[in-house]
Structure formats: C-alpha cells, structure tokens
Amino acid sequence: MRSRRDFLKTVSVAAFSASAAHPLLSWADAAPIFIPGKDGMIVRSFRFVDLEMPVEFMTEWITPVRHFYVRNHMFEPDKIDTINWKLTINGEVEKPLTLSLADLEKFPNRSVTNTLECAGNGRSLHTPKIPGIQWGKGAVGNARFSGPSLKSVLERAGVKDSGKHVQFRGLDPVPGKVPPFVRSIPIEKAADGDTLIATHMNGAPLTAHHGFPARAITPGWVGAASCKWLTEITVLDKPADGNFMMPGYRFPNTPGKPGEPVKPEDTHSLTALTVKSVIAAPADSAKLKPGAQVIQGVAWAGEAEITKVEISTDGGGSWSAAQLGKDQAKYAWHLWSYNWQPTKSGEYVIFSRASDSRGRTQPAAAVWNPSGYLYNAYDQVKVYVQA
Amino acid sequence: MCKLKFYSVVILFAAVVAPAQSSPNEQLPTGPAKEKAAAACLTCHEARIIVQQRLSEAAWEKEMDKMIKWGAEVDAKDRDALIEYFSTNFTPDQPAYEAPRTARDAKSKTKSRL
C-alpha cells in the first residue's frame, strides 16, 4: 500500500511542476483541475478528495459516476489488490467469516437504486456559518448499486441474539491521531434485505473514489452510513463507539437557536435523509427570454416517497404542482419539471419545495445545528426575464 | 541562437506541462503565521479546506484545538498566533470562497452512464 509520505511526494512534485511553470503561464491557474474519472466537478478539497456535483448535472435520473459526489474523511487507500483483499465478519456471530471478492460474488446479487447524500450537503447555506466542507447543493447523487445483501452475509455468519448493531470499517489510512472512520447501524436496518455490500455502481465495478472493491450501501440514510473500502463488519451488542458516532453525525433532538451549542445528551445519531428538492435549471442568475421555460430538478426523501413537488415563481406567494418523472424506485430521487410561461420582463425568485409520504414538507428555513447537517430549506434561484 | 534554443525548450516544456494539470493546491494567504500554519495543517490537508471557512474567532479556536488533539503539530506558543491568523483572514462576513472545478471530459456526452 502506498504510504502517506509517497502520496505527499507525488502531490509535491505535481505542485512543483505547476508552480515552476507559473511565471510563464499566468493563465494556467485558471485551468481546471484534472482528476481522472471525474468531469466538471466542484473541488471542495483536493486532499482529502471532496468533490461536489454542480446542480446543472441534476437532470438525469441515474447520476453517471463521473458526476457522482465524493466525500472522503481521510486518504483513499492505495490500489487494493483484489486477490488478497478480504472482508471479515466477526463479533456477535456464531461463525465468523473471511470472504474474498470471489466469495462475495457467489451470494445472490441484489440491486438497489439509491439516492446517496452527504449529511453535510448544504452546510454552506446555513447561517451562522459552520466549520467543515462548505458543500453547496450537490453532495448528492442517485446510482444503481449492486452486490450481496448484508442480510444474506449476516445469515451465513449467524447473528447471535446479542447482536444489535452492525459496525463497518474501511481501509482508508488514518492520518495523525485522527480517530478511524468507524460507524454502526442498527441490526434491523442492516438485515432489512436492502442494505448492501455493494461491489458495483451503475453496472460497473466500484471505482476507487467510490469504495472499490466493496462498500456498504445503507439505502435512504445519510452517506456516512455507507462506509467505503470495506474490510471489516463487526456485529455489536451496542452502537459503535468513536468520534464519528459521538459527537460526529448527530442532530439536535429539538431545534435550538441558530449559533447556540447543543449538549451531546440532547442529540441523536443521524439515520435517514429528510425531504428535499433542488432546482437544476434554470441556473441562479440566469437571463431568460419571455416565453416558454422549463423549471426542472430532483427531489428525494430518504426512506419515504416523494408525493409532490411545488414551484413558486413569485417568491413564495403562490405555489403550483410540478410534474414528477416516470422513473421511480424506493430509495431513489424523482426528477420533476414545471412548464413556466413568464409574460413580463423583470426579476423572479423561483422556489421549489417537496412533500413526502410521511407528511413532511420541505420548510422555508432549515434547522440550524452545530455541524450543519440535513440542510433542506426550500431551494431557490433568482432569474431575470428580459425581452 | 543559443537563446532561441533555450526559449524553444522552455515553450515546449510549458506546452507539455500546462494543459495537463494546473496546480490543484490552494494557497494560504501571506501573514506572519503562514509558514507555521502550512507546517501544522498541510501535512494532511490541502489549503482549500482552510480558505473556504468563514468562522468567528471562537469557532477557529475550537477547530484549532480539535486538530491539535488529532495530531496537528503546533507548538503551544504558536497556538494563539495561528488562531489570530485564521480568524483574521477567514471571517464570517467575507464573500463565499469560489471553488474551482475539475476538467470537463470532452467525451462525456458520448459516454455511457459509467
């Protein structure tokens, strides 16, 4: 495995090459950053790699891998040798297992189309500002993940009555004294038949950025529940310990005042995503001609179903239903569109808001919380109609 | 003649290097604690994770202490200067950081959904 020193050396050489060229090439700084396999993504961080999908790509039901967001807490593991890669299942089980990739392929294959969203998506939109990756709207994507269900693997190992939670651990190298990215989910979710040990994404083997050779997919839940580069699954009698369970990835039990601290005992661990829509087009600040316009975007609700998306073109004064796309799956987002016919020139504020099968509606203001999770206020763009 | 050869080589070098990769690394702003900030933070992070923050001094203090706990090597006598450096340069009232994009893939429109 490549060491951190090697990685830094590579980066340093690349940085030196670029800076050496700089005096000759003043335009070079404006050139985009090249990351193989990724196309036109917003670079929130180059190291560790954190890439966001621009909203204009949110017009396809299945997000191509090249446009799918990347959230890494640590370094990515260097090239993983699939011959020697093993996944161990241990803890509160009758028969601990060590599985190779070939072993995993012998389990029945299950596919789930899932909208994966980083818990911190939209953090930059909270006020007051919150530390962390300043995600805009695109730390989200919808893909078809395939592999054995976690249930089938747990059944092979035989979960003891004492097994109540399932902990994932990945191969991402931990820098310094940073706690490892270890989290757990309750056994009911782990063994529901839809939670996967995914080896494929959109019909192809996972890429390195997305957890090759295997990752957890916990459908409908925050992205942090879907550990990448899986190497160990441990069945526990209680939730996992560690920074990424407490104080990480927790949400206030009751909304507090924006900017106010929240006591750990007044929080709960994040699970399913909430109801949310995003406008993909027109772009914010777009200049439009009067006449027929299509407002379009996506909406999702974690484990719930989207029941409607409404659009306001007068800053929230009145609302009209958008048309939902035909493509549907239990944990997947809906495309939506709305035909708009602006007749007068001027400035328009367009809102979108989604509602779901649990009676939730996207609110005018999101719940501020100290880590900036689950931002889901109405989405909005301002456009200018000019004859 | 020699000069001409030299410039030809330089231009050739530039043509090869430039389109392939601009610097992926953001730069820290100048200031008295810049070098110490680089030594403490950029071993693990790229500077972009810092320059995109818009935080109060109290929030910077909290972040600094978290990072020291997680292994950032900061001499105790430098802690306050680093907090001042960050909280002076990256304040809540500044406009949002404009993040760059990765290169567009010219073939993306003809590719499959992979």
Side-chain angles (χ1 to χ4, degrees), chain A residues 90-123:
Chain A
N90 54 30
E92 301 295 310
V93 295
E94 302 292 348
K95 191 174 71 171
L97 303 175
T98 300
L99 303 173
S100 66
L101 200 54
D103 293 331
L104 277 185
E105 285 168 358
K106 289 175 191 157
F107 283 85
N109 192 59
R110 173 105 171 82
S111 290
V112 173
T113 303
N114 178 50
T115 295
L116 198 64
E117 184 188 18
C118 176
N121 191 26
R123 178 178 290 121

Side-chain angles (χ1 to χ4, degrees), chain A residues 8 24-25 28 31-33 39-41 43-44 46-47 54 56 64-66 129 131-134 177 179 202, chain B residues 10 18 21-22 24-25 42-46 48-49 52-54 70 99-105 108 112-114:
Chain A
L8 292 174
L24 293 165
L25 301 159
I33 294 168
D39 171 40
M41 301 289 280
V43 181
R44 295 294 172 200
F46 181 70
R47 191 179 82 242
E56 64 261 29
V65 173
R66 65 183 182 277
K129 296 299 177 196
I133 299 288
Q134 296 300 299
K177 298 174 193 165
N202 294 349
Chain B
V10 169
Q21 175 91 320
S22 67
N25 298 316
L42 305 190
T43 315
C44 292
H45 294 289
E46 177 239 334
R48 191 167 283 111
I49 189 64
Q52 68 188 267
Q53 308 301 326
R54 299 288 180 266
W70 285 4
R101 292 199 181 190
T102 66
R104 288 307 314 263
D105 181 344
S108 65
S112 71
R113 287 174 168 178
L114 308 181

Side-chain angles (χ1 to χ4, degrees), chain A residues 322-382:
Chain A
Q323 186 168 4
L324 296 180
K326 288 178 189 164
D327 293 309
Q328 289 184 44
K330 187 175 176 184
Y331 306 102
W333 68 19
H334 282 259
L335 299 177
W336 56 261
S337 64
Y338 177 75
N339 296 320
W340 180 42
Q341 192 89 24
T343 52
K344 290 180 186 168
S345 294
E347 180 183 299
Y348 292 82
V349 175
I350 302 172
F351 286 156
S352 71
R353 72 178 179 199
S355 298
D356 73 10
S357 54
R358 295 188 182 171
R360 302 179 297 184
T361 294
Q362 203 172 345
V367 174
W368 190 94
N369 58 99
S371 296
Y373 295 136
L374 300 183
Y375 181 90
N376 75 331
Y378 300 165
D379 196 21
Q380 64 172 296
V381 294
K382 188 186 284 185

Side-chain angles (χ1 to χ4, degrees), chain A residues 291-340:
Chain A
Q293 304 289 341
V294 177
I295 302 169
Q296 62 178 320
V298 290
W300 65 96
E303 294 178 315
E305 272 292 303
I306 289 291
T307 52
K308 66 178 174 184
V309 173
E310 296 168 290
I311 303 301
S312 172
T313 57
D314 58 3
S318 60
W319 296 85
S320 301
Q323 186 168 4
L324 296 180
K326 288 178 189 164
D327 293 309
Q328 289 184 44
K330 187 175 176 184
Y331 306 102
W333 68 19
H334 282 259
L335 299 177
W336 56 261
S337 64
Y338 177 75
N339 296 320
W340 180 42

Side-chain angles (χ1 to χ4, degrees), chain A residues 128-183:
Chain A
K129 296 299 177 196
I130 296 163
I133 299 288
Q134 296 300 299
W135 297 114
K137 301 174 184 178
V140 61
N142 187 56
R144 189 165 181 266
F145 295 95
S146 309
S149 72
L150 180 54
K151 179 185 182 183
S152 63
V153 173
L154 290 175
E155 281 176 351
R156 178 82 58 89
V159 176
K160 293 179 182 173
D161 289 345
S162 52
K164 303 295 183 196
H165 296 266
V166 177
Q167 171 184 290
F168 303 119
R169 179 163 186 152
L171 282 167
D172 29 345
V174 178
K177 298 174 193 165
V178 177
F181 187 76
V182 173
R183 300 194 77 249

